[in-house]
Amino acid sequence: MSSKNQPETFAEQEIATQPEIWAKTAEFFPSIADRLPGKALKVAAVGCGSSWFMSQAYAGLREKNGFGETDFYTAREFSFTRKYDAVVAISRSGTTSEVVEVLEKIDVPSTIITAVPNSPVTKVATKSIVMEFADEESVVQTRWATAALGLLRMSLGFDLKSIIDQAKIALDSDIEELLEVEQIAFLGNGWTIGLAQEAALKTREAAQFWSEAYPSFDYRHGPMSIAQPGRAVWHFGIPEEKLALDIKATGALFESSYLDPMAHLIRAQRVAVGLGQKRGLNPDQPRGLARSVILDSK
Ligand code: F1P
């Protein structure tokens, strides 16, 4: 589908609704603000898949903005030996077993951000934040991930409403050139490393596409050898000038943007879905993936 036509898949519809979902998230935030950790607490952020990468972005921003030490974990790797004041977990489905398990085992206050009321995570977390309005039909998460991160950014003092127009720009922008490449390396610095990971996951899920993600400075330490004409390197956040020049010298297509990085992620979501459609895949139903991963109980 071209960006100007009617959406055909749930993923496309859900990507397109991000401006209104971000507006709803901003309206919703004051009603739950006291359920998220304030300053000077040592926090762990937890999730799986997209929810892990949003935890990573939140952790990077929280610590950078002076709110306190913040670690992030994919749920199964949670460190039960480290001491935290609070845990923030994200799970759209509310059923991901590794997340349920962490919330069950810890003895510090926890907050779960989920789309599903009364889901298993809400039974084991201390406090729940339920954003049903951001739930999705597509297995591939798009607006859920940005709504959850948007809410968390608000808890760090960010005005989510201020970037809604940027989301619209990302939705209307031309992505055709990016649909022609055979590989993309997504890069970021600090909190945008989580966005780079999320963008790479989108292309793998929706398109079975070869993508990688790195902190942009580490990209020079080997992965850059992959860059060549016909491939792309995509930077979330403003890139260092020398790095941008070095990447362009490889002949790879270089993508960066002055948009807020979370608005820029919308372009990557659109590219992921577009690549999948070019390959005849249904981006709503990625190979080998269900809405949530529920492991057999012991
Ligand atoms: C986490 C997750 C997603 C993935 C897919 C399966 O789900 O791993 O990241 O894209 O949807 O589930 P959740 O815990 O946020 O429901």
Side-chain angles (χ1 to χ4, degrees), residues 242-258:
K242 176 74 169 61
L243 175 66
L245 289 173
D246 287 352
I247 291 168
K248 285 177 191 163
T250 68
L253 178 66
F254 184 62
E255 157 88 10
S256 68
S257 173
Y258 285 95

Side-chain angles (χ1 to χ4, degrees), residues 61 148-158 163 191 260 262:
L61 266 179
L149 180 59
L151 186 86
L152 288 166
R153 291 179 77 182
M154 290 196 75
S155 78
L156 304 175
F158 181 73
I163 60 163
W191 74 284
D260 176 272
M262 202 171 84

Side-chain angles (χ1 to χ4, degrees), residues 214-233:
Y214 300 97
S216 58
F217 276 76
D218 213 64
Y219 179 67
R220 292 177 195 270
H221 294 270
M224 196 163 160
S225 303
I226 296 293
Q228 65 179 46
R231 298 178 181 171
V233 182

Side-chain angles (χ1 to χ4, degrees), residues 48-51 90-94 96 99 139-141 144 201-202 205 289-293:
C48 292
S50 299
S51 296
I90 307 172
S91 176
R92 177 184 67 176
S93 62
T96 298
V99 177
V139 167
V140 172
Q141 297 191 7
W144 166 257
L201 179 67
K202 287 312 88 171
E205 288 178 332
L289 192 65
R291 173 170 158 89
S292 88
V293 177

